[in-house]
Amino acid sequence: MENVKILKALAHPTRLHILSLLKSPAQSFTACNNLDKNAVGICVQEMTIVLNISQSTTSQHLSILHDAGLLTSTKIGKYTYFKRNEKTIQHFAEFVSKEI
């Protein structure tokens, strides 16, 4: 069932784009703080600017990816930072290569 949730999460081009951008966060996003983007992730505000969509729409996409296990989140102060969950992505890639 987890794989079905992941497939549904990947079924939108914006969510695929988010995962692609988060593959190399330091290159995809400008520095707006002193945090290590590879270690901590990217805040919703930065993603909203790069994606050029509203904060609520960005948050909805991030929530779907997070619920599917494709992203992890860390709250620092008033901001939530997201990064890829490479373990889940690797397991899903193995599932696809074996089953589909």
Side-chain angles (χ1 to χ4, degrees):
M1 194 64 158
E2 177 183 309
N3 291 321
V4 172
K5 199 170 196 175
I6 291 172
L7 285 167
K8 288 180 181 180
L10 296 175
H12 194 285
T14 300
R15 292 192 286 271
L16 288 173
H17 186 54
I18 290 169
L19 285 174
S20 176
L21 290 170
L22 289 175
K23 192 169 187 175
S24 302
Q27 294 174 353
S28 301
F29 299 91
T30 59
C32 77
N33 55 42
N34 294 326
L35 299 174
D36 179 357
K37 293 181 183 322
N38 292 318
V40 177
I42 305 300
C43 69
V44 176
Q45 179 183 7
E46 276 190 271
M47 285 192 221
T48 299
I49 293 166
V50 171
L51 296 169
N52 197 29
I53 56 178
S54 70
Q55 184 195 2
S56 62
T57 301
T58 301
S59 293
Q60 287 175 337
H61 287 305
L62 292 170
S63 177
I64 290 167
L65 291 168
H66 186 266
D67 289 347
L70 295 168
L71 298 180
T72 61
S73 64
T74 304
K75 187 149 178 94
I76 301 174
K78 64 179 182 176
Y79 297 104
T80 303
Y81 295 81
F82 290 89
K83 67 180 185 175
R84 289 165 47 115
N85 183 341
E86 296 297 340
K87 183 177 178 180
T88 298
I89 291 169
Q90 180 61 38
H91 285 289
F92 181 70
E94 291 169 7
F95 163 77
V96 170
S97 69
K98 290 178 186 176
E99 302 295 329
I100 297 179

Coordinates of all heavy atoms in Angstrom, one line a residue:
M1 N 0.8 -1.2 0.0 CA 0.0 0.0 0.0 C 0.9 1.3 0.0 O 0.5 2.3 -0.6 CB -0.9 0.0 1.2 CG -2.0 1.0 1.1 SD -3.1 0.6 -0.3 CE -4.5 1.4 0.2
E2 N 2.0 1.2 0.7 CA 2.9 2.3 0.7 C 3.4 2.8 -0.7 O 3.4 3.9 -1.0 CB 4.2 2.0 1.5 CG 5.2 3.1 1.6 CD 6.4 2.7 2.4 OE1 6.3 2.2 3.5 OE2 7.5 2.8 1.8
N3 N 3.6 1.8 -1.5 CA 4.0 2.1 -2.9 C 2.9 2.8 -3.7 O 3.2 3.6 -4.6 CB 4.5 0.8 -3.6 CG 5.8 0.3 -3.0 OD1 6.7 1.1 -2.7 ND2 6.0 -1.0 -2.9
V4 N 1.7 2.4 -3.4 CA 0.6 3.1 -4.1 C 0.5 4.6 -3.7 O 0.3 5.4 -4.5 CB -0.8 2.4 -3.8 CG1 -2.0 3.2 -4.3 CG2 -0.8 1.0 -4.4
K5 N 0.7 4.8 -2.4 CA 0.7 6.2 -1.9 C 1.9 7.0 -2.6 O 1.7 8.2 -2.9 CB 0.9 6.2 -0.4 CG 0.5 7.5 0.3 CD 0.5 7.3 1.8 CE -0.3 8.4 2.4 NZ -0.5 8.2 3.8
I6 N 3.0 6.4 -2.7 CA 4.2 7.0 -3.4 C 3.8 7.3 -4.9 O 4.1 8.4 -5.4 CB 5.4 6.2 -3.3 CG1 5.9 6.2 -1.8 CG2 6.5 6.7 -4.2 CD1 7.0 5.2 -1.5
L7 N 3.3 6.3 -5.5 CA 2.9 6.5 -7.0 C 1.9 7.7 -7.1 O 2.1 8.5 -8.0 CB 2.3 5.3 -7.6 CG 3.3 4.2 -7.9 CD1 2.6 2.8 -8.1 CD2 4.2 4.6 -9.0
K8 N 0.9 7.8 -6.2 CA 0.0 8.9 -6.2 C 0.7 10.2 -6.0 O 0.4 11.2 -6.6 CB -1.1 8.7 -5.2 CG -2.1 7.6 -5.6 CD -3.2 7.4 -4.6 CE -4.2 6.3 -5.0 NZ -5.2 6.1 -4.0
A9 N 1.6 10.2 -5.1 CA 2.4 11.5 -4.8 C 3.2 11.9 -5.9 O 3.4 13.1 -6.2 CB 3.2 11.3 -3.5
L10 N 3.7 11.0 -6.7 CA 4.6 11.3 -7.8 C 3.8 11.6 -9.1 O 4.4 12.0 -10.1 CB 5.5 10.1 -8.1 CG 6.5 9.8 -7.1 CD1 7.3 8.5 -7.4 CD2 7.4 10.9 -6.8
A11 N 2.5 11.6 -9.0 CA 1.6 11.7 -10.2 C 1.3 13.2 -10.5 O 0.5 13.5 -11.3 CB 0.3 11.0 -10.0
H12 N 2.0 14.1 -9.9 CA 1.9 15.5 -10.2 C 3.2 16.1 -10.6 O 4.2 15.9 -9.9 CB 1.3 16.3 -9.0 CG 0.8 17.6 -9.3 ND1 1.6 18.7 -9.6 CD2 -0.5 18.1 -9.5 CE1 0.8 19.8 -9.8 NE2 -0.4 19.4 -9.8
P13 N 3.3 16.9 -11.7 CA 4.6 17.4 -12.2 C 5.2 18.4 -11.2 O 6.5 18.4 -11.1 CB 4.2 18.2 -13.5 CG 2.7 18.2 -13.6 CD 2.2 17.2 -12.6
T14 N 4.5 19.1 -10.4 CA 5.1 20.0 -9.4 C 5.8 19.2 -8.3 O 6.9 19.6 -7.9 CB 4.1 21.0 -8.8 OG1 3.5 21.7 -9.9 CG2 4.7 21.9 -7.8
R15 N 5.2 18.1 -7.9 CA 5.8 17.3 -6.9 C 7.1 16.6 -7.4 O 8.1 16.5 -6.7 CB 4.8 16.3 -6.3 CG 3.7 17.0 -5.5 CD 2.9 16.1 -4.7 NE 1.9 15.3 -5.5 CZ 0.7 15.6 -5.8 NH1 0.2 16.8 -5.4 NH2 -0.1 14.9 -6.5
L16 N 7.1 16.2 -8.6 CA 8.3 15.6 -9.3 C 9.4 16.7 -9.3 O 10.5 16.4 -9.0 CB 8.0 15.1 -10.7 CG 7.2 13.8 -10.8 CD1 6.8 13.5 -12.2 CD2 8.0 12.7 -10.2
H17 N 9.0 17.9 -9.6 CA 9.9 19.0 -9.7 C 10.5 19.3 -8.3 O 11.7 19.6 -8.2 CB 9.2 20.3 -10.3 CG 10.1 21.4 -10.6 ND1 11.2 21.3 -11.3 CD2 10.0 22.7 -10.2 CE1 11.8 22.5 -11.4 NE2 11.1 23.4 -10.7
I18 N 9.7 19.3 -7.3 CA 10.2 19.5 -5.9 C 11.2 18.5 -5.6 O 12.3 18.8 -5.1 CB 9.0 19.5 -4.9 CG1 8.1 20.7 -5.1 CG2 9.6 19.4 -3.5 CD1 6.8 20.7 -4.3
L19 N 11.0 17.2 -5.9 CA 11.9 16.1 -5.6 C 13.2 16.3 -6.4 O 14.3 16.1 -5.9 CB 11.4 14.8 -5.9 CG 10.3 14.3 -4.8 CD1 9.7 12.9 -5.3 CD2 11.0 14.1 -3.5
S20 N 13.1 16.8 -7.6 CA 14.3 17.0 -8.4 C 15.1 18.2 -7.9 O 16.3 18.1 -7.8 CB 13.8 17.4 -9.9 OG 14.9 17.7 -10.7
L21 N 14.4 19.3 -7.5 CA 15.1 20.4 -6.9 C 15.8 20.0 -5.6 O 17.0 20.5 -5.3 CB 14.2 21.6 -6.6 CG 13.6 22.3 -7.8 CD1 12.5 23.2 -7.4 CD2 14.7 23.0 -8.6
L22 N 15.2 19.2 -4.8 CA 15.8 18.8 -3.5 C 16.9 17.8 -3.6 O 17.6 17.5 -2.7 CB 14.7 18.3 -2.6 CG 13.7 19.3 -2.1 CD1 12.6 18.6 -1.2 CD2 14.4 20.3 -1.2
K23 N 17.1 17.3 -4.8 CA 18.2 16.3 -5.1 C 19.6 17.1 -4.9 O 20.5 16.5 -4.4 CB 18.1 15.7 -6.4 CG 19.1 14.6 -6.6 CD 18.7 13.8 -7.9 CE 19.6 12.6 -8.0 NZ 19.2 11.7 -9.1
S24 N 19.6 18.3 -5.3 CA 20.8 19.2 -5.1 C 20.4 20.5 -4.5 O 20.4 21.5 -5.2 CB 21.5 19.4 -6.4 OG 21.9 18.2 -7.0
P25 N 20.0 20.5 -3.3 CA 19.4 21.8 -2.7 C 20.3 23.0 -2.7 O 19.8 24.1 -2.9 CB 19.0 21.4 -1.3 CG 19.8 20.2 -1.0 CD 20.1 19.5 -2.3
A26 N 21.6 22.8 -2.5 CA 22.5 23.9 -2.5 C 22.6 24.6 -3.8 O 22.8 25.8 -3.9 CB 23.9 23.5 -2.0
Q27 N 22.4 23.8 -4.9 CA 22.5 24.4 -6.2 C 21.1 25.0 -6.7 O 21.1 25.9 -7.4 CB 22.9 23.3 -7.2 CG 24.3 22.8 -7.1 CD 24.6 21.7 -8.0 OE1 23.7 21.1 -8.7 NE2 25.9 21.2 -8.0
S28 N 20.0 24.4 -6.2 CA 18.7 24.8 -6.6 C 18.1 26.0 -5.9 O 17.3 26.7 -6.4 CB 17.7 23.6 -6.4 OG 18.1 22.5 -7.2
F29 N 18.6 26.2 -4.7 CA 18.1 27.3 -3.8 C 19.2 28.3 -3.4 O 20.3 27.8 -3.0 CB 17.4 26.7 -2.6 CG 16.2 25.8 -3.0 CD1 16.4 24.4 -3.1 CD2 15.0 26.3 -3.1 CE1 15.4 23.6 -3.5 CE2 13.9 25.5 -3.5 CZ 14.1 24.2 -3.6
T30 N 18.9 29.5 -3.4 CA 19.8 30.5 -2.9 C 19.9 30.5 -1.4 O 18.9 30.1 -0.7 CB 19.4 31.9 -3.4 OG1 18.1 32.3 -2.9 CG2 19.4 32.0 -4.9
A31 N 21.0 31.0 -0.9 CA 21.1 31.0 0.6 C 20.3 32.2 1.2 O 20.6 33.3 0.9 CB 22.6 31.1 0.9
C32 N 19.4 31.8 2.1 CA 18.7 32.9 2.8 C 19.0 32.7 4.3 O 18.4 33.4 5.1 CB 17.2 32.8 2.5 SG 16.3 31.5 3.3
N33 N 19.8 31.8 4.6 CA 20.2 31.6 6.0 C 21.5 30.9 6.1 O 22.1 30.6 5.0 CB 19.1 30.8 6.8 CG 18.8 29.4 6.1 OD1 19.7 28.8 5.7 ND2 17.6 29.1 6.0
N34 N 22.0 30.6 7.2 CA 23.4 30.0 7.4 C 23.3 28.5 7.6 O 24.3 27.9 7.9 CB 24.1 30.7 8.5 CG 24.4 32.1 8.2 OD1 24.7 32.5 7.1 ND2 24.5 32.9 9.3
L35 N 22.1 27.9 7.4 CA 22.0 26.5 7.6 C 22.5 25.7 6.4 O 22.5 26.2 5.2 CB 20.5 26.1 7.8 CG 19.8 26.8 9.0 CD1 18.4 26.5 9.0 CD2 20.5 26.3 10.3
D36 N 23.0 24.5 6.7 CA 23.5 23.6 5.6 C 22.2 23.0 4.9 O 21.5 22.2 5.5 CB 24.3 22.5 6.2 CG 24.9 21.5 5.2 OD1 24.5 21.6 4.0 OD2 25.6 20.6 5.6
K37 N 22.0 23.4 3.7 CA 20.8 23.0 3.0 C 20.8 21.4 2.7 O 19.7 20.8 2.7 CB 20.7 23.7 1.6 CG 20.4 25.2 1.8 CD 20.3 25.9 0.5 CE 20.1 27.4 0.6 NZ 19.3 27.9 1.7
N38 N 22.0 20.8 2.6 CA 22.0 19.4 2.4 C 21.7 18.6 3.6 O 21.1 17.6 3.6 CB 23.4 19.0 1.9 CG 23.7 19.5 0.5 OD1 22.8 19.4 -0.4 ND2 24.8 20.0 0.2
A39 N 22.0 19.2 4.8 CA 21.8 18.5 6.1 C 20.4 18.8 6.6 O 19.7 17.9 7.1 CB 22.8 18.9 7.1
V40 N 20.0 20.1 6.5 CA 18.7 20.5 7.2 C 17.5 20.4 6.2 O 16.5 20.0 6.5 CB 18.9 21.9 7.8 CG1 17.5 22.4 8.3 CG2 19.9 21.9 8.8
G41 N 17.8 20.9 5.0 CA 16.7 20.9 4.0 C 16.4 22.4 3.6 O 17.2 23.3 3.9
I42 N 15.3 22.5 2.9 CA 14.9 23.8 2.4 C 13.5 24.2 3.1 O 12.6 23.4 3.2 CB 14.7 23.8 0.9 CG1 16.0 23.2 0.2 CG2 14.2 25.1 0.3 CD1 17.2 24.1 0.4
C43 N 13.4 25.5 3.4 CA 12.2 26.0 4.0 C 11.1 26.2 3.0 O 11.4 26.4 1.8 CB 12.4 27.2 4.9 SG 12.8 28.7 4.0
V44 N 9.9 26.2 3.4 CA 8.7 26.4 2.5 C 8.8 27.7 1.8 O 8.5 27.8 0.6 CB 7.4 26.3 3.3 CG1 6.2 26.5 2.4 CG2 7.3 24.9 3.9
Q45 N 9.3 28.7 2.5 CA 9.4 30.1 1.9 C 10.3 30.1 0.7 O 10.0 30.6 -0.4 CB 9.9 31.1 2.9 CG 10.0 32.5 2.4 CD 10.6 33.4 3.5 OE1 11.0 33.0 4.5 NE2 10.6 34.7 3.1
E46 N 11.4 29.4 0.8 CA 12.4 29.4 -0.4 C 11.8 28.6 -1.5 O 11.9 29.0 -2.7 CB 13.7 28.7 0.1 CG 14.7 29.6 0.7 CD 16.0 28.9 0.9 OE1 16.2 28.3 1.9 OE2 16.8 29.0 0.0
M47 N 11.1 27.5 -1.2 CA 10.5 26.7 -2.3 C 9.4 27.5 -3.0 O 9.3 27.4 -4.2 CB 9.9 25.4 -1.7 CG 11.0 24.4 -1.4 SD 10.3 22.8 -1.0 CE 11.3 22.3 0.3
T48 N 8.6 28.2 -2.2 CA 7.6 29.0 -2.8 C 8.1 30.0 -3.9 O 7.6 30.1 -4.9 CB 6.8 29.8 -1.7 OG1 6.2 28.8 -0.8 CG2 5.7 30.7 -2.3
I49 N 9.2 30.6 -3.5 CA 9.9 31.6 -4.5 C 10.4 30.8 -5.7 O 10.1 31.3 -6.8 CB 11.0 32.3 -3.7 CG1 10.5 33.2 -2.6 CG2 11.9 33.1 -4.7 CD1 11.5 33.7 -1.7
V50 N 11.1 29.7 -5.5 CA 11.6 29.0 -6.7 C 10.5 28.4 -7.6 O 10.6 28.5 -8.8 CB 12.6 27.9 -6.2 CG1 13.0 27.0 -7.4 CG2 13.8 28.6 -5.6
L51 N 9.5 27.9 -7.0 CA 8.4 27.2 -7.7 C 7.5 28.2 -8.3 O 6.7 27.9 -9.2 CB 7.6 26.3 -6.8 CG 8.4 25.1 -6.3 CD1 7.6 24.3 -5.2 CD2 8.8 24.1 -7.4
N52 N 7.5 29.5 -7.8 CA 6.6 30.5 -8.3 C 5.1 30.1 -8.1 O 4.3 30.3 -9.1 CB 6.9 30.9 -9.7 CG 6.3 32.3 -10.1 OD1 6.1 33.1 -9.2 ND2 6.0 32.5 -11.3
I53 N 4.8 29.6 -7.0 CA 3.4 29.2 -6.7 C 3.1 29.7 -5.2 O 4.1 30.0 -4.5 CB 3.1 27.7 -6.8 CG1 4.0 26.9 -6.0 CG2 3.1 27.3 -8.3 CD1 3.7 25.4 -6.0
S54 N 1.9 29.8 -4.8 CA 1.5 30.3 -3.5 C 2.1 29.4 -2.4 O 2.4 28.2 -2.6 CB 0.0 30.4 -3.4 OG -0.6 29.1 -3.3
Q55 N 2.2 29.9 -1.2 CA 2.7 29.2 -0.1 C 1.7 28.0 0.3 O 2.1 26.9 0.6 CB 2.9 30.0 1.2 CG 3.4 29.2 2.3 CD 3.3 29.9 3.7 OE1 2.8 31.0 3.8 NE2 3.9 29.3 4.7
S56 N 0.4 28.3 0.2 CA -0.5 27.2 0.5 C -0.4 26.0 -0.5 O -0.5 24.9 -0.1 CB -2.0 27.8 0.5 OG -2.4 28.3 -0.7
T57 N -0.3 26.3 -1.8 CA -0.1 25.3 -2.8 C 1.2 24.5 -2.5 O 1.2 23.3 -2.6 CB -0.2 25.9 -4.2 OG1 -1.4 26.5 -4.3 CG2 0.0 24.8 -5.2
T58 N 2.3 25.3 -2.3 CA 3.5 24.6 -2.0 C 3.4 23.7 -0.8 O 3.9 22.6 -0.8 CB 4.6 25.7 -1.7 OG1 4.8 26.5 -2.9 CG2 6.0 25.0 -1.4
S59 N 2.8 24.2 0.3 CA 2.6 23.4 1.5 C 1.8 22.1 1.2 O 2.1 21.1 1.8 CB 1.9 24.2 2.6 OG 2.8 25.3 3.0
Q60 N 0.8 22.2 0.4 CA -0.1 21.1 0.1 C 0.8 20.0 -0.6 O 0.7 18.8 -0.3 CB -1.2 21.5 -0.8 CG -2.3 22.2 -0.1 CD -3.4 22.7 -1.0 OE1 -3.2 22.8 -2.2 NE2 -4.6 22.9 -0.5
H61 N 1.6 20.4 -1.6 CA 2.5 19.5 -2.3 C 3.5 18.9 -1.4 O 3.7 17.6 -1.4 CB 3.2 20.2 -3.5 CG 2.3 20.5 -4.6 ND1 1.6 19.6 -5.3 CD2 2.1 21.7 -5.3 CE1 0.9 20.1 -6.3 NE2 1.2 21.4 -6.3
L62 N 4.1 19.7 -0.5 CA 5.0 19.1 0.5 C 4.4 18.2 1.4 O 5.0 17.1 1.8 CB 5.7 20.3 1.2 CG 6.6 21.2 0.4 CD1 7.0 22.4 1.2 CD2 7.9 20.4 -0.1
S63 N 3.2 18.5 1.8 CA 2.5 17.6 2.7 C 2.2 16.2 2.1 O 2.4 15.2 2.7 CB 1.1 18.2 3.1 OG 0.4 17.4 4.0
I64 N 1.8 16.2 0.8 CA 1.6 14.9 0.1 C 2.8 14.1 0.0 O 2.9 12.9 0.3 CB 0.9 15.2 -1.2 CG1 -0.5 15.7 -1.1 CG2 0.9 14.0 -2.1 CD1 -1.1 16.3 -2.3
L65 N 3.9 14.8 -0.3 CA 5.2 14.1 -0.5 C 5.7 13.6 0.9 O 6.2 12.5 1.0 CB 6.3 15.0 -1.1 CG 6.1 15.4 -2.5 CD1 7.0 16.5 -2.9 CD2 6.3 14.2 -3.4
H66 N 5.5 14.4 1.9 CA 5.9 14.0 3.3 C 5.0 12.8 3.8 O 5.6 11.8 4.3 CB 5.7 15.2 4.2 CG 6.2 14.9 5.6 ND1 5.4 14.5 6.6 CD2 7.4 15.1 6.2 CE1 6.1 14.4 7.7 NE2 7.3 14.7 7.5
D67 N 3.7 12.9 3.5 CA 2.8 11.8 4.0 C 3.2 10.5 3.2 O 3.0 9.4 3.8 CB 1.4 12.1 3.7 CG 0.8 13.2 4.6 OD1 1.5 13.5 5.6 OD2 -0.2 13.7 4.4
A68 N 3.7 10.5 2.0 CA 4.1 9.4 1.3 C 5.5 8.8 1.7 O 5.9 7.8 1.3 CB 4.1 9.7 -0.2
G69 N 6.1 9.6 2.6 CA 7.4 9.2 3.1 C 8.6 9.6 2.2 O 9.7 9.2 2.5
L70 N 8.3 10.4 1.2 CA 9.4 10.8 0.3 C 10.2 12.0 0.8 O 11.3 12.3 0.3 CB 8.8 11.2 -1.1 CG 8.1 10.0 -1.8 CD1 7.3 10.5 -3.0 CD2 9.2 9.0 -2.3
L71 N 9.7 12.7 1.8 CA 10.4 13.9 2.4 C 10.4 13.7 3.9 O 9.5 13.1 4.5 CB 9.7 15.2 2.1 CG 9.6 15.6 0.6 CD1 8.8 17.0 0.6 CD2 10.9 15.7 0.0
T72 N 11.4 14.3 4.5 CA 11.4 14.4 6.0 C 11.4 15.9 6.3 O 11.7 16.7 5.4 CB 12.7 13.8 6.6 OG1 13.8 14.5 6.1 CG2 12.8 12.3 6.3
S73 N 10.9 16.2 7.5 CA 10.8 17.6 7.9 C 11.5 17.8 9.2 O 11.5 17.0 10.1 CB 9.4 18.0 7.9 OG 8.7 17.4 8.9
T74 N 12.0 19.0 9.4 CA 12.6 19.5 10.6 C 12.1 20.9 10.9 O 12.2 21.8 10.0 CB 14.2 19.5 10.5 OG1 14.6 18.2 10.1 CG2 14.8 19.9 11.8
K75 N 11.7 21.1 12.1 CA 11.2 22.5 12.5 C 12.3 23.2 13.2 O 12.8 22.6 14.2 CB 9.9 22.4 13.3 CG 9.3 23.7 13.6 CD 7.8 23.6 13.6 CE 7.2 24.9 14.0 NZ 6.7 25.7 12.8
I76 N 12.7 24.3 12.8 CA 13.7 25.2 13.4 C 13.1 26.6 13.6 O 12.8 27.2 12.6 CB 15.0 25.2 12.7 CG1 15.6 23.8 12.5 CG2 16.0 26.1 13.3 CD1 16.8 23.8 11.6
G77 N 12.8 26.9 14.8 CA 12.1 28.2 15.0 C 10.7 28.2 14.5 O 10.0 27.2 14.7
K78 N 10.4 29.2 13.7 CA 9.1 29.2 13.1 C 9.0 28.6 11.7 O 8.0 28.6 11.1 CB 8.6 30.7 13.0 CG 9.4 31.6 12.1 CD 8.8 33.0 12.1 CE 9.5 33.9 11.2 NZ 8.9 35.2 11.1
Y79 N 10.2 28.1 11.2 CA 10.2 27.5 9.8 C 10.3 26.0 9.9 O 11.0 25.4 10.7 CB 11.4 28.1 9.1 CG 11.4 29.6 8.9 CD1 12.1 30.5 9.6 CD2 10.5 30.1 7.9 CE1 12.1 31.8 9.5 CE2 10.4 31.5 7.8 CZ 11.2 32.4 8.5 OH 11.1 33.7 8.3
T80 N 9.7 25.4 8.9 CA 9.8 24.0 8.7 C 10.7 23.7 7.4 O 10.4 24.4 6.4 CB 8.4 23.3 8.5 OG1 7.7 23.6 9.6 CG2 8.6 21.8 8.3
Y81 N 11.7 22.9 7.6 CA 12.6 22.6 6.5 C 12.3 21.1 6.0 O 12.1 20.2 6.8 CB 14.0 22.7 6.9 CG 14.4 24.1 7.3 CD1 14.0 24.6 8.6 CD2 15.1 24.9 6.4 CE1 14.4 25.9 8.9 CE2 15.4 26.2 6.7 CZ 15.0 26.7 8.0 OH 15.3 28.0 8.3
F82 N 12.4 21.0 4.7 CA 12.1 19.7 4.1 C 13.3 19.2 3.3 O 14.0 20.0 2.6 CB 10.9 19.7 3.1 CG 9.6 19.9 3.8 CD1 9.1 21.2 4.1 CD2 8.8 18.8 4.2 CE1 7.9 21.4 4.7 CE2 7.6 19.0 4.8 CZ 7.2 20.3 5.1
K83 N 13.6 17.9 3.3 CA 14.6 17.3 2.5 C 14.1 15.9 2.0 O 13.2 15.4 2.6 CB 15.9 17.2 3.2 CG 16.0 16.3 4.4 CD 17.4 16.3 4.9 CE 17.5 15.3 6.1 NZ 18.9 15.3 6.6
R84 N 14.8 15.4 1.0 CA 14.4 14.1 0.5 C 14.7 13.0 1.5 O 15.7 13.0 2.2 CB 15.2 13.8 -0.8 CG 14.8 14.6 -2.0 CD 15.8 14.6 -3.1 NE 16.3 13.3 -3.5 CZ 16.0 12.7 -4.6 NH1 15.4 13.3 -5.6 NH2 16.5 11.5 -4.9
N85 N 13.8 12.0 1.5 CA 14.1 10.8 2.3 C 14.7 9.8 1.4 O 14.0 9.0 0.7 CB 12.8 10.3 2.9 CG 13.0 9.1 3.8 OD1 14.0 8.4 3.8 ND2 12.0 8.8 4.7
E86 N 16.0 9.8 1.3 CA 16.7 8.9 0.3 C 16.5 7.4 0.6 O 16.4 6.7 -0.4 CB 18.2 9.2 0.3 CG 18.5 10.7 -0.1 CD 18.1 11.0 -1.5 OE1 17.9 10.1 -2.3 OE2 18.0 12.2 -1.8
K87 N 16.3 7.0 1.8 CA 16.0 5.6 2.1 C 14.7 5.2 1.5 O 14.7 4.1 0.8 CB 16.0 5.4 3.6 CG 15.8 4.0 4.0 CD 15.8 3.8 5.5 CE 15.6 2.4 6.0 NZ 15.6 2.2 7.4
T88 N 13.7 5.9 1.6 CA 12.4 5.6 1.0 C 12.5 5.6 -0.5 O 11.9 4.8 -1.2 CB 11.3 6.6 1.5 OG1 11.1 6.4 2.9 CG2 9.9 6.3 0.8
I89 N 13.1 6.6 -1.0 CA 13.3 6.8 -2.5 C 14.0 5.5 -3.0 O 13.7 5.0 -4.1 CB 14.0 8.1 -2.9 CG1 13.0 9.3 -2.5 CG2 14.4 8.1 -4.3 CD1 13.7 10.6 -2.6
Q90 N 15.1 5.1 -2.3 CA 15.8 3.9 -2.8 C 15.0 2.7 -2.7 O 15.0 1.9 -3.7 CB 17.1 3.7 -1.9 CG 17.9 2.6 -2.3 CD 18.5 2.6 -3.7 OE1 18.8 3.7 -4.2 NE2 18.5 1.5 -4.4
H91 N 14.2 2.5 -1.7 CA 13.3 1.3 -1.6 C 12.3 1.3 -2.7 O 12.0 0.3 -3.3 CB 12.6 1.3 -0.2 CG 13.5 0.8 0.9 ND1 14.0 -0.5 1.1 CD2 14.0 1.5 2.0 CE1 14.7 -0.6 2.1 NE2 14.8 0.6 2.7
F92 N 11.8 2.5 -3.0 CA 10.8 2.6 -4.1 C 11.4 2.3 -5.4 O 10.8 1.6 -6.2 CB 10.1 4.0 -4.1 CG 9.1 4.1 -5.1 CD1 7.9 3.4 -5.0 CD2 9.3 4.9 -6.2 CE1 6.9 3.5 -6.0 CE2 8.3 5.0 -7.2 CZ 7.1 4.3 -7.1
A93 N 12.6 2.8 -5.6 CA 13.3 2.5 -6.9 C 13.6 1.0 -7.1 O 13.4 0.4 -8.2 CB 14.6 3.3 -6.9
E94 N 13.9 0.3 -6.0 CA 14.1 -1.1 -6.0 C 12.8 -1.8 -6.3 O 12.7 -2.8 -7.1 CB 14.7 -1.6 -4.7 CG 16.1 -1.2 -4.5 CD 16.6 -1.5 -3.1 OE1 15.9 -2.1 -2.3 OE2 17.7 -1.0 -2.8
F95 N 11.7 -1.4 -5.7 CA 10.4 -1.9 -6.0 C 10.0 -1.8 -7.5 O 9.6 -2.8 -8.1 CB 9.3 -1.2 -5.1 CG 7.9 -1.4 -5.6 CD1 7.2 -2.6 -5.4 CD2 7.2 -0.4 -6.3 CE1 5.9 -2.8 -5.9 CE2 6.0 -0.6 -6.8 CZ 5.3 -1.8 -6.6
V96 N 10.2 -0.6 -8.0 CA 9.9 -0.4 -9.4 C 10.8 -1.3 -10.3 O 10.3 -1.9 -11.3 CB 10.1 1.1 -9.8 CG1 10.1 1.3 -11.3 CG2 9.1 2.0 -9.1
S97 N 12.0 -1.4 -10.0 CA 12.9 -2.2 -10.9 C 12.6 -3.7 -10.8 O 12.7 -4.4 -11.8 CB 14.4 -2.0 -10.5 OG 14.7 -2.6 -9.3
K98 N 12.0 -4.2 -9.7 CA 11.7 -5.6 -9.5 C 10.3 -5.9 -10.0 O 10.0 -6.9 -10.6 CB 11.8 -6.0 -8.1 CG 13.3 -6.1 -7.6 CD 13.3 -6.5 -6.2 CE 14.7 -6.4 -5.7 NZ 14.8 -6.7 -4.2
E99 N 9.3 -5.0 -9.7 CA 7.9 -5.3 -9.9 C 7.2 -4.7 -11.1 O 6.2 -5.2 -11.5 CB 7.1 -4.9 -8.6 CG 7.6 -5.5 -7.3 CD 7.4 -7.0 -7.3 OE1 6.5 -7.5 -7.8 OE2 8.3 -7.6 -6.6
I100 N 7.8 -3.7 -11.6 CA 7.1 -3.0 -12.8 C 7.9 -3.2 -14.0 O 9.1 -3.1 -14.1 CB 6.9 -1.5 -12.5 CG1 6.0 -1.4 -11.3 CG2 6.3 -0.9 -13.7 CD1 5.7 0.0 -10.9

